[in-house]
């Protein structure tokens, strides 16, 4: 079964799921050997599909992705996974091309792609932070809003201070957790 492809897709939308699955099938990846992580935007944490795909490969098989950034978004992660695959005799398929991590040219190319993927991810993060700072400056981003409006918060503080109700009773009455009521009572007062 040498050369058999095992596919991996990281999809943040249903549309990406369909597109990547179709592309992997076109590349010759059997349907039962396609592993997918859905709803992820690039982190390595809790990617069960990637773990399953990595476990499903064997000596002589080809771990296949449609785009490099679907596989890894930083150089360290890419190097770690590619080194592990190579140590197990697994090749890396990017689209229709197959690369050997032990080949100096293949390694250089894949390391370059990893650097570009990391650069693009960092640019995206930078743009997001800049956009949020601008929105905050223009009063359009106000952070997490309190669960209860200020009049309710004042009433909670007053009623608790006067001993009318317990913390647990207030939490039940306002359908929030006791920790929320505790923060309202013991936290700083806001003026809105």
């Amino acid at each position: 079964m040498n050369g058999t492809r095992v596919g991996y897709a990281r999809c943040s939308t249903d549309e990406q799921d369909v597109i990547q699955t179709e592309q992997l099938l076109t590349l010759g990846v059997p349907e039962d050997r396609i592993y997918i992580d859905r709803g992820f935007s690039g982190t390595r944490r809790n990617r069960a599909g990637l773990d399953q795909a990595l476990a499903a490969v064997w000596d002589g098989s080809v771990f296949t992705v449609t785009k490099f950034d679907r596989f890894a978004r930083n150089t360290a992660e890419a190097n770690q996974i590619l080194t592990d695959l190579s140590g197990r005799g697994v090749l890396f398929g990017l689209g229709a091309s197959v690369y050997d991590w032990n080949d100096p040219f293949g390694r250089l190319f894949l390391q370059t792609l990893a650097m570009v993927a990391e650069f693009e991810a960092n640019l995206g993060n930078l743009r997001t932070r800049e956009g949020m700072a601008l929105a905050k400056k223009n009063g359009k981003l106000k952070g997490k809003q309190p669960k209860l409006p200020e009049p309710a918060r004042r009433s909670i503080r007053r009623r608790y201070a006067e001993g009318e109700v317990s913390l647990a009773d207030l939490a039940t009455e306002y359908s929030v957790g006791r920790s929320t009521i505790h923060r309202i009572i013991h936290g700083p007062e806001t003026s809105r």
Side-chain angles (χ1 to χ4, degrees):
M1 292 185 68
N2 284 352
T4 300
R5 289 181 179 254
V6 173
Y8 172 70
R10 181 180 55 78
C11 307
S12 49
T13 67
D14 289 339
E15 184 177 300
Q16 285 181 350
D17 187 342
V18 171
I19 292 169
Q20 288 183 63
T21 300
E22 287 176 356
Q23 289 172 340
L24 288 169
L25 290 169
T26 301
L27 291 169
V29 179
E31 191 169 359
D32 65 335
R33 297 206 182 269
I34 296 175
Y35 300 89
I36 301 172
D37 279 318
R38 292 176 175 89
F40 287 92
S41 61
T43 61
R44 175 70 168 99
R45 296 182 299 268
N46 301 322
R47 284 171 59 185
L50 178 59
D51 294 337
Q52 292 169 346
L54 293 173
V57 294
W58 62 92
D59 186 15
S61 62
V62 181
F63 180 88
T64 305
V65 296
T66 59
K67 294 181 183 174
F68 197 88
D69 68 344
R70 300 285 92 196
F71 155 67
R73 281 201 156 161
N74 68 63
T75 307
E77 178 184 42
N79 285 340
Q80 175 193 2
I81 295 171
L82 290 167
T83 299
D84 174 61
L85 290 172
S86 175
R88 294 165 47 200
V90 178
L91 298 173
F92 182 76
L94 179 59
S97 301
V98 177
Y99 300 94
D100 182 352
W101 185 245
N102 292 320
D103 174 62
F105 295 105
R107 183 180 292 236
L108 174 65
F109 180 69
L110 294 174
Q111 285 176 328
T112 302
L113 289 179
M115 288 188 301
V116 170
E118 184 171 336
F119 175 68
E120 287 178 341
N122 289 339
L123 277 180
N125 292 337
L126 177 64
R127 288 184 193 117
T128 299
R129 286 193 307 273
E130 288 172 347
M132 290 176 71
L134 182 61
K136 188 173 186 177
K137 179 181 172 188
N138 294 332
K140 300 195 190 245
L141 180 69
K142 298 176 182 162
K144 184 177 178 182
Q145 299 301 307
K147 290 185 179 182
L148 298 173
E150 187 53 34
R153 297 164 71 83
R154 279 194 301 270
S155 175
I156 289 169
R157 283 191 286 273
R158 179 190 53 76
R159 291 172 62 203
Y160 185 79
E162 293 173 0
E164 284 183 31
V165 290
S166 71
L167 193 132
D169 291 338
L170 287 166
T172 302
E173 180 181 337
Y174 286 95
S175 301
V176 295
R178 289 175 54 166
S179 60
T180 298
I181 299 297
H182 187 272
R183 279 191 300 275
I184 291 170
I185 293 168
H186 300 292
E189 291 189 31
T190 58
S191 56
R192 287 192 187 185

